Amino acid sequence: MAAHIWGMKIFVLIFALFAAPLAAQQQVPQSAAQMQLSFVPLVKEATPAVVNIYAKIMTQAQRTPLQRDPFFERFFRDPFSEKPRVQNSLGSGVILSADGIVVSNYHVVGMATEIRVVLNDRREYNARVLLGDRDADLAILKIDAEEELPFLTLRSSESVEVGELALAIGNPFGVGQTVSSGIVSGLARSGAGGGNSGLGYFIQTDAPINPGNSGGALIDMAGRLIGINTSILTRSGGSNGIGFAIPADLVAAFVARARDGATEFDRPWAGISGQPVDSDMAATLGLDRSGGIIVSGLHAASPFLEAGLDVGDVILEVGGAAVNTPAEMVYRMSVAGLGRETPVHYLRGGKRFEVQVSLIAAPDDPPRDQIMMTERSLLPGLVMARINPAVISEMNLPLEASGVVVMEAGRFAQQVGLRRGDVIVDINGTEIIASEEAAELLSGKVRWIEMTLLRGDRRTRLRFRV
């Protein structure tokens, strides 16, 4: 019996030791203010600046292969199938200024012919696109309102840290404005986004994001915009807790360009090719850890080459921030903006160097001499241009590409196998250097055409009768 009593005393003592800190952590609210502790004040302040966007996009009906054939197309002529179709797009946006500057995703409004913006209080406005960029998946809109509008302020992305609380606000599935909570799960996510490459630099969050949230706000606990929700990583189509937002610093750069009157976002051109330094490569280079980008190629007009970098150098920082992927470097340069210089730290032979690199647009030199083939030519509608740095950047060509590239294949060229982005090496055995040479050969009276093409890193040959 005595042993039983001692056992009970020990149990009570252990329970008391554990219960004391537990009670301290789980206190019953002592006041009305503590009972009302929630996101309510924050949501009330932020949601008026997050809008629903309804866009109409005109699309052309897809033609079957037989409809595209010159002989069979007459049997498939349908006056109704040729008419453009209206496709409705639903998304979200964020007001960034009292005079009606709105940011959203390019995939929501980029190709729209009509845009309607609906505020949380049900006010509606027509909007127009000032600037859009497919690669960054950003679009800056303007709505004209007589009164001042509610707006969110931007917070520098550099101050955002993993673990911060965050709210995602948008219009998922068109059910109406919705708020979801989570944290900042990761930073500098390159190449993420499930097919939305953007500039390859995202903020990751576990706040639920669903279709319709695109273009909506990711805010911090002070109600400041830290990112624009753009995509999710999912297999089912719904939120799995892995969402991506475009950092506010890039949004600010787009807004500044739009206010300057630009209709396109001209990002700085690096003129280099490279790859991330992994652990095996780091050991070979004598580095104590992986990180940075090793330069594998430099264009003759590259500002990095002019600043003194060479093949084999490892770029460590751009603009004072570490870079570990080419996409991250492009992001840093884009945020800095054209016409400036940015500090670049690199490693060569185990020594660290710093240089100032000029941020320039890809030079459109030598002149591209773009040509469209006429109806009298062998391939009417074919658009070709001489390759220069600007064309390499626009068409995403290899850095060493030269000669003439297909800008638009046109109907007849597509039928014989030409595609946008094909580099024309030769025509009927004649090496092609300028677009005028290609145009002349494709305007002559010949029965057969043989062309050597470069398609990516693959060489192919076409032969067709004309």
Side-chain angles (χ1 to χ4, degrees), residues 11-248:
F11 172 77
V12 171
L13 178 61
I14 294 173
F15 178 79
L17 289 173
F18 280 94
L22 186 63
Q25 295 174 9
Q26 298 182 349
Q27 294 180 0
V28 175
Q30 300 298 314
S31 66
Q34 290 181 356
M35 294 177 66
Q36 293 296 322
L37 186 61
S38 70
F39 295 130
V40 171
L42 177 61
V43 171
K44 284 184 176 180
E45 181 181 350
T47 52
V50 182
V51 300
N52 297 337
I53 294 180
Y54 301 89
K56 289 184 178 180
I57 302 173
M58 303 299 291
T59 60
Q60 193 69 34
Q62 293 291 326
R63 293 163 60 90
T64 67
L66 288 178
Q67 283 178 301
R68 292 192 294 268
D69 186 274
F71 176 78
F72 289 102
E73 66 173 349
R74 55 183 173 175
F75 299 107
F76 291 89
R77 286 177 182 167
D78 181 353
F80 298 101
S81 65
E82 298 295 324
K83 291 183 178 180
R85 298 178 181 178
V86 177
Q87 179 180 341
N88 294 313
S89 176
L90 173 67
S92 306
V94 182
I95 305 175
L96 297 180
S97 66
D99 62 347
I101 293 293
V102 179
V103 62
S104 186
N105 285 144
Y106 182 90
H107 74 263
V108 174
V109 300
M111 303 300 293
T113 55
E114 182 181 338
I115 303 171
R116 195 76 175 160
V117 173
V118 182
L119 274 64
N120 192 33
D121 59 8
R122 300 185 183 278
R123 283 181 290 172
E124 295 188 16
Y125 300 94
N126 290 323
R128 65 185 189 277
V129 176
L130 298 180
L131 184 153
D133 188 273
R134 185 189 301 272
D135 291 334
D137 197 23
L138 280 176
I140 306 301
L141 314 177
K142 182 68 170 65
I143 56 180
D144 296 319
E146 296 181 357
E147 67 279 8
E148 290 190 350
L149 299 173
F151 64 93
L152 294 184
T153 58
L154 296 170
R155 173 185 169 186
S156 174
S157 310
E158 298 305 308
S159 65
V160 177
E161 296 183 289
V162 175
E164 288 191 38
L165 291 173
L167 299 183
I169 309 175
N171 182 17
F173 298 108
V175 300
Q177 193 172 80
T178 302
V179 180
S180 55
S181 66
I183 65 170
V184 174
S185 307
L187 302 171
R189 295 301 193 221
S190 296
N196 237 347
S197 63
L199 287 179
Y201 189 92
F202 301 92
I203 296 172
Q204 182 184 334
T205 180
D206 68 345
I209 296 174
N210 289 288
N213 271 113
S214 294
L218 186 68
I219 64 172
D220 64 9
M221 292 300 100
R224 295 171 297 182
L225 185 74
I226 60 176
I228 294 296
N229 301 322
T230 185
S231 59
I232 58 176
L233 197 61
T234 178
R235 294 180 178 176
S236 63
S239 175
N240 288 335
I242 304 178
F244 301 100
I246 301 168

